[in-house]
Amino acid sequence: MNPVEIIIKKRNGNKLEEAEIRNFVELYLQNKIPEYQMSALLMAIFFSDMQPQEVETLTKIYIESGKQLQFPPKWHTVDKHSTGGVGDKISLMLTPIAAACGCKIPMISGRGLGHTGGTLDKLESIPGFRTDFSDNEFKQLIEKNGFAIISQSQQLVPADKRIYALRDVTGTVESLPLITASIMSKKIAEGAANLVIDLKIGSGAFIKDMKNAKKLAKLLKTTGENLGQKVKVIFTNMNAPLGNYVGNSLEVLETIEFLKGKMPADVEQITKALAIQMLNLTGIEQNRNKAEKMITEVITNHKALNFFKNFIETQGGDPAVCDDTSLLPQAKYELNIKSPATGYIKNIDSQAIGYALVDLNAGRKTLESKIDHSTGAYLPYKIGDKLQKDEKLGTVFANNKKTGKAVAAKLAKCYQLSAEPIAKQPIILGES
Amino acid sequence: MNPVEIIIKKRNGNKLEEAEIRNFVELYLQNKIPEYQMSALLMAIFFSDMQPQEVETLTKIYIESGKQLQFPPKWHTVDKHSTGGVGDKISLMLTPIAAACGCKIPMISGRGLGHTGGTLDKLESIPGFRTDFSDNEFKQLIEKNGFAIISQSQQLVPADKRIYALRDVTGTVESLPLITASIMSKKIAEGAANLVIDLKIGSGAFIKDMKNAKKLAKLLKTTGENLGQKVKVIFTNMNAPLGNYVGNSLEVLETIEFLKGKMPADVEQITKALAIQMLNLTGIEQNRNKAEKMITEVITNHKALNFFKNFIETQGGDPAVCDDTSLLPQAKYELNIKSPATGYIKNIDSQAIGYALVDLNAGRKTLESKIDHSTGAYLPYKIGDKLQKDEKLGTVFANNKKTGKAVAAKLAKCYQLSAEPIAKQPIILGES
């Protein structure tokens, strides 16, 4: 097997055989194929694409590079994945709700990089909260609380871990086949029998249009189903930050309020749509209306909130934050953001909002950056909302007044207003 | 400057600024950008292409990475480059002919790899012949003999040397902008004021059609002219091996016979077309007919042959080979190749011929392979020629009978015959 021939074969648009992909990846992991040949192959895949069978092979090799978790077959295991968006705290409210309805959710999550925050960063704003647990502890946590959210160990899909790090520095992240193998290998190795995916589309997401979204959804579903995991994809709108808050402890605050019934419309719609699919896939409740009723009930009767409290406590955090959110990290300053004009919001640059908040250390510039859990912004307006010039558009939460003011000015510029009325946008765009 | 952003910018099809290309290449040469980022950028360039200005910048940076040779301005300096073909010995006869007409040719050449042999390998089949000379010696050789053919020193375009080695192992050789920068940087750094390029098109060349040939020619000319070198491109047919012989000492033999007047039609046409352009570019003779007359004369009166003899002697070789070609390395066995059928030659897989002869060590599998200068083949038939089944199609020259027979069988399979008459093909396809 000559690595150059395999690179050229893919570069010329041909399908690679299973043995070719396997040899290339395995020799790479054994340091017998150098990084520069792997990065050339990754860029060739970016341009030449991969057929579903190639993606399945790559996913399988990723999974086999590490160990696989297993749960009792009678458990209703299901996990959720989001392709990432600004203010995306859905995992935080969705997991206790679905668990309160009977699902078992083994969620292995990540930290944020770039313009989107990570679920682990958000949870770690809760004093004492831990995410490093052994496989056995993970299983016990799920058995006890219905769900657990922990960080990825070195033993789970090491091939993806290493290749993702290379993709990150070689401009080869945004490739649908590579994204699919990366997502699905982790989610399958994690041991859940079912998976719901929140596939975000819009200015704040890396998928900008429905055509690419459908292509990715098909790849995700085919790969999952051929490797033994049932997959449901929900397409959601990412043209505005999700909910009212962006920032780590602020999103935990929003989660607690949500579980007490104060639900921003977009977060409610997405959370419920995903929860319905989780109940459906696991067979807990096939009927959509009945499933929605179950979900509304566990919110109304605070069963989900109690699941969240227990979860926090068992993972080492202080559950009192649910009763007194002032126990969460608080920023020193609150600075007003003023509307730059009078008119209807036509466009929101969610990605720029995410990057602006990195100036407050609400997100990471590099993997080594330290997060400030207390900072962020309150941004309640969506596309179609009307504002007066200089009206309060939102709030910045900062620990440095000068930086906070600069960020407030940057955030104001992320909103484009129109004199003409602008239609509100739907949140749920479809499913697959 | 973030290297990933530059990779992504090119990957997304955008034009890179001069400073971006310069920084990337210079930091790479200083080992501050790793090989895997350079290989990702090279693959992105393969797919996203480069605009002429980017190619010019890259060429300039390559040249500036090493030293540049200079010759007296009154010298009629001109060099020749071929994009490479099977049996391409044109440099061997062209240089003494053009030098005999008054050109000064500072040719820095290479060794072969893959299916095509290198000019240096062919010359080194002459007992004692040397190609390692200092810059000063190079200049003296040219002054004395009108031309010299030597190997590339470490000081000439080290950037191209290093990046070419990386391209070779990452499937990024066949990129027109990268090919242009590689060719033109060497040819400009070499110090010739003019350049003729034999751009080969066909099954035995890496350029398969006129469209790509014209695109490459335009890039080569624009780059040369903007960096101070006049360039003329001749498009030639590479659907059959050139001349009658393929193999190192066999091609030297063919060169000597050529300079004595025994000229295969294809070699004669290409050599003369290139020589005419060399006389034209240098201003020695602008008129095509007069130039051709000069060329024919130096062949007929053996002036070119004497230039070739002096060249061999001054570079350490035995000039007696010109009078007694049996002094060249001789293979032990001559094995007949039989025509596989009766009919007209419709297609010749020149590339497969090149690779088959590598089995006899007439070419190199890897840079470390040792060449057998004596082996090769006599293959006089071209597209359109008629053959009878089992008629002699050619001869294999081998030092191992068994391998020789196997190669003869392989070579026979490279000829595709048709029952219907097939038109002969033109050799010169155009110029630019």
Side-chain angles (χ1 to χ4, degrees):
Chain A
M1 209 247 354
N2 183 343
V4 189
E5 282 170 24
I6 291 182
I7 297 169
I8 292 175
K9 189 172 177 185
K10 178 43 69 190
R11 187 201 75 186
N12 290 349
N14 299 306
K15 185 185 162 196
L16 297 180
E17 300 303 321
E18 172 155 353
E20 290 170 328
I21 301 175
R22 185 174 291 281
N23 271 324
F24 203 103
V25 175
E26 287 178 354
L27 290 173
Y28 169 72
L29 293 174
Q30 294 162 26
N31 299 311
K32 287 175 187 160
I33 284 183
E35 306 283 342
Y36 56 78
Q37 287 187 319
M38 180 53 93
S39 71
L41 179 65
L42 293 170
M43 189 60 88
I45 291 170
F46 176 90
F47 281 99
S48 292
D49 211 349
M50 271 182 147
Q51 292 182 25
Q53 214 186 324
E54 293 174 282
V55 178
E56 186 186 320
T57 298
L58 188 61
T59 308
K60 208 162 58 182
I61 296 165
Y62 276 11
I63 295 169
E64 289 165 6
S65 73
K67 64 174 177 192
Q68 277 185 265
L69 302 186
Q70 278 187 322
F71 298 103
K74 58 175 187 208
W75 281 15
H76 296 297
T77 51
V78 57
D79 193 12
K80 173 252 182 181
H81 178 79
S82 162
T83 58
V86 177
D88 184 1
K89 72 277 297 171
I90 304 289
S91 287
L92 302 189
M93 40 276 279
L94 178 64
T95 45
I97 290 170
C101 294
C103 295
K104 291 269 187 281
I105 308 154
M107 186 177 278
I108 295 177
S109 197
R111 291 190 166 72
L113 188 62
H115 72 288
T116 58
T119 297
L120 297 186
D121 296 318
K122 293 168 193 178
L123 286 169
E124 282 169 351
S125 70
I126 302 170
F129 195 90
R130 279 176 52 209
T131 62
D132 52 329
F133 291 94
S134 72
D135 297 346
N136 256 337
E137 291 171 321
F138 187 41
K139 215 170 275 183
Q140 285 162 9
L141 289 171
I142 299 162
E143 189 157 23
K144 183 172 180 297
N145 297 322
F147 72 110
I149 305 180
I150 68 165
S151 51
Q152 189 182 340
S153 76
Q154 292 293 341
Q155 287 86 45
L156 208 79
V157 286
D160 173 63
K161 215 162 181 151
R162 184 155 160 209
I163 291 172
Y164 190 87
L166 184 61
R167 285 167 61 204
D168 194 39
V169 293
T170 54
T172 50
V173 168
E174 298 88 348
S175 153
L176 300 191
L178 296 178
I179 287 168
T180 301
S182 182
I183 293 174
M184 294 310 299
S185 62
K186 276 180 285 193
K187 290 302 180 185
I188 292 169
E190 214 182 69
N194 305 286
L195 177 66
V196 293
I197 295 175
D198 181 2
L199 205 164
K200 302 203 169 291
I201 306 168
S203 65
F206 72 86
I207 296 283
K208 309 290 179 195
D209 57 70
M210 189 50 98
K211 195 186 153 202
N212 267 304
K214 283 193 172 158
K215 194 178 165 195
L216 178 56
K218 201 175 167 191
L219 264 184
L220 291 164
K221 287 184 68 137
T222 310
T223 305
E225 278 151 28
N226 287 339
L227 296 174
Q229 188 173 56
K230 269 196 289 176
V231 179
K232 184 80 193 177
V233 178
I234 307 286
F235 300 114
T236 67
N237 187 321
M238 223 314 117
N239 285 323
L242 266 178
N244 296 330
Y245 289 96
V246 186
N248 297 285
S249 70
L250 295 166
E251 294 185 47
V252 173
L253 167 78
E254 192 168 18
T255 301
I256 293 164
E257 290 181 344
F258 185 98
L259 293 172
K260 290 178 179 171
K262 192 181 159 196
M263 301 183 283
D266 52 354
V267 179
E268 181 183 357
Q269 284 182 53
I270 296 175
T271 303
K272 287 188 171 170
L274 292 167
I276 289 168
Q277 296 303 335
M278 288 167 90
L279 298 185
N280 187 315
L281 282 174
T282 51
I284 291 172
E285 181 51 71
Q286 305 277 4
N287 181 286
R288 227 170 241 255
N289 293 335
K290 286 188 189 164
E292 189 166 359
K293 221 176 139 187
M294 276 178 81
I295 292 157
T296 306
E297 208 168 280
V298 298
I299 299 171
T300 313
N301 65 17
H302 285 199
K303 191 176 173 191
L305 179 65
N306 287 327
F307 268 72
F308 193 58
K309 274 188 195 170
N310 291 335
F311 153 75
I312 293 174
E313 189 166 18
T314 326
Q315 292 201 202
D318 182 1
V321 296
C322 294
D323 302 310
D324 179 3
T325 53
S326 75
L327 294 172
L328 289 166
Q330 308 279 326
K332 273 190 227 158
Y333 305 102
E334 295 191 12
L335 303 135
N336 281 352
I337 310 166
K338 286 182 186 167
S339 171
T342 295
Y344 299 87
I345 299 176
K346 187 182 166 189
N347 193 49
I348 304 176
D349 188 346
S350 308
Q351 198 167 316
I353 291 175
Y355 281 119
L357 295 175
V358 172
D359 293 352
L360 302 172
N361 299 315
R364 283 188 183 80
K365 269 196 188 95
T366 73
L367 274 172
E368 288 73 37
S369 312
K370 222 181 125 29
I371 289 274
D372 183 341
H373 290 104
S374 67
T375 58
Y378 172 70
L379 298 165
Y381 295 108
K382 310 284 172 184
I383 289 174
D385 285 342
K386 195 180 179 186
L387 287 164
Q388 299 296 327
K389 185 166 161 53
D390 293 333
E391 185 186 341
K392 186 176 159 182
L393 174 58
T395 311
V396 166
F397 299 86
N399 285 311
N400 176 306
K401 213 171 181 172
K402 205 177 144 192
T403 315
K405 278 190 176 172
V407 170
K410 271 193 186 181
L411 292 182
K413 284 188 187 141
C414 296
Y415 290 76
Q416 198 188 332
L417 280 80
S418 150
E420 300 299 310
I422 297 289
K424 304 232 172 198
Q425 296 191 350
I427 299 303
I428 308 289
L429 303 173
E431 57 181 62
S432 169
Chain B
M1 207 249 353
N2 182 342
V4 190
E5 282 171 23
I6 292 183
I7 297 170
I8 292 175
K9 188 171 177 184
K10 178 43 70 189
R11 187 201 75 185
N12 290 348
N14 298 307
K15 186 186 161 196
L16 298 180
E17 299 303 321
E18 171 155 354
E20 290 170 328
I21 301 175
R22 184 175 293 281
N23 271 325
F24 203 103
V25 175
E26 287 177 356
L27 289 174
Y28 169 71
L29 293 174
Q30 294 162 28
N31 299 312
K32 287 174 187 162
I33 284 184
E35 306 282 344
Y36 55 77
Q37 288 188 320
M38 180 54 94
S39 70
L41 179 66
L42 293 170
M43 190 59 88
I45 292 170
F46 176 90
F47 281 99
S48 293
D49 211 349
M50 272 183 146
Q51 292 181 24
Q53 214 185 323
E54 293 175 280
V55 178
E56 188 186 320
T57 298
L58 188 61
T59 308
K60 208 161 59 181
I61 296 164
Y62 276 11
I63 295 169
E64 289 165 6
S65 73
K67 66 175 175 193
Q68 277 184 267
L69 302 184
Q70 278 188 322
F71 298 103
K74 59 175 186 205
W75 279 17
H76 297 297
T77 52
V78 57
D79 193 12
K80 173 252 181 179
H81 178 79
S82 162
T83 57
V86 178
D88 184 1
K89 73 278 294 172
I90 305 288
S91 288
L92 302 189
M93 41 276 279
L94 178 65
T95 45
I97 290 169
C101 295
C103 295
K104 291 269 188 279
I105 308 153
M107 186 177 278
I108 295 178
S109 196
R111 290 189 168 72
L113 189 62
H115 72 290
T116 59
T119 297
L120 296 187
D121 296 317
K122 293 167 192 178
L123 286 169
E124 283 169 351
S125 69
I126 301 169
F129 196 90
R130 278 176 52 210
T131 61
D132 53 328
F133 292 93
S134 72
D135 297 346
N136 256 337
E137 289 171 322
F138 187 41
K139 215 170 276 184
Q140 285 162 10
L141 289 171
I142 299 162
E143 188 157 21
K144 184 172 179 295
N145 297 323
F147 73 107
I149 304 179
I150 68 165
S151 52
Q152 189 182 341
S153 77
Q154 292 294 341
Q155 287 85 46
L156 208 79
V157 287
D160 171 63
K161 216 164 179 149
R162 185 156 158 208
I163 291 172
Y164 190 88
L166 184 61
R167 285 168 59 204
D168 194 39
V169 292
T170 55
T172 49
V173 167
E174 299 88 348
S175 153
L176 300 191
L178 297 177
I179 288 167
T180 301
S182 182
I183 294 175
M184 295 309 299
S185 62
K186 276 180 281 190
K187 291 301 181 185
I188 292 168
E190 212 181 70
N194 306 285
L195 178 66
V196 294
I197 294 175
D198 180 1
L199 206 165
K200 303 204 169 290
I201 306 167
S203 65
F206 71 88
I207 297 283
K208 308 290 179 196
D209 57 70
M210 189 51 97
K211 194 186 153 202
N212 266 305
K214 282 191 172 160
K215 194 177 165 198
L216 177 57
K218 202 175 167 190
L219 264 184
L220 290 164
K221 287 184 68 140
T222 310
T223 306
E225 277 152 28
N226 288 339
L227 296 173
Q229 187 175 58
K230 271 196 289 177
V231 179
K232 184 80 193 175
V233 178
I234 306 287
F235 300 115
T236 67
N237 187 321
M238 220 320 114
N239 285 323
L242 266 178
N244 296 329
Y245 289 96
V246 186
N248 296 285
S249 70
L250 295 165
E251 293 185 48
V252 172
L253 166 80
E254 191 167 21
T255 302
I256 294 165
E257 289 181 345
F258 185 99
L259 294 171
K260 290 177 177 171
K262 192 181 160 195
M263 302 184 282
D266 52 354
V267 179
E268 181 183 358
Q269 284 183 52
I270 296 175
T271 304
K272 286 186 172 171
L274 292 167
I276 288 168
Q277 296 302 336
M278 289 168 90
L279 298 186
N280 187 313
L281 282 172
T282 51
I284 292 172
E285 181 52 69
Q286 305 278 4
N287 180 288
R288 227 170 240 254
N289 292 335
K290 285 188 187 164
E292 188 166 0
K293 221 177 139 189
M294 276 180 79
I295 292 156
T296 307
E297 208 170 279
V298 297
I299 299 172
T300 314
N301 66 17
H302 285 200
K303 192 177 170 187
L305 179 66
N306 286 325
F307 268 72
F308 193 58
K309 273 187 194 171
N310 291 334
F311 153 76
I312 292 174
E313 189 167 17
T314 326
Q315 291 201 205
D318 182 1
V321 297
C322 294
D323 302 310
D324 179 4
T325 54
S326 75
L327 294 172
L328 289 167
Q330 309 278 327
K332 272 191 229 159
Y333 304 103
E334 295 190 13
L335 303 135
N336 281 353
I337 309 166
K338 285 182 186 168
S339 172
T342 294
Y344 299 85
I345 299 177
K346 187 182 166 186
N347 192 50
I348 304 175
D349 188 346
S350 307
Q351 198 166 316
I353 291 175
Y355 281 120
L357 294 175
V358 172
D359 293 351
L360 302 172
N361 299 314
R364 281 187 186 79
K365 266 196 191 98
T366 73
L367 275 171
E368 288 73 37
S369 312
K370 220 179 127 28
I371 289 274
D372 182 341
H373 290 102
S374 67
T375 58
Y378 172 68
L379 299 164
Y381 295 108
K382 310 285 172 184
I383 289 173
D385 285 343
K386 194 178 180 189
L387 287 164
Q388 299 296 328
K389 183 163 164 52
D390 293 333
E391 185 187 340
K392 186 177 161 184
L393 173 58
T395 312
V396 167
F397 299 86
N399 285 311
N400 176 307
K401 214 170 180 172
K402 202 178 147 193
T403 315
K405 276 187 178 173
V407 169
K410 271 193 185 181
L411 292 182
K413 284 188 187 142
C414 296
Y415 290 77
Q416 199 188 331
L417 280 81
S418 150
E420 300 300 309
I422 296 290
K424 304 232 171 199
Q425 296 191 350
I427 300 303
I428 308 290
L429 304 173
E431 57 183 60
S432 169

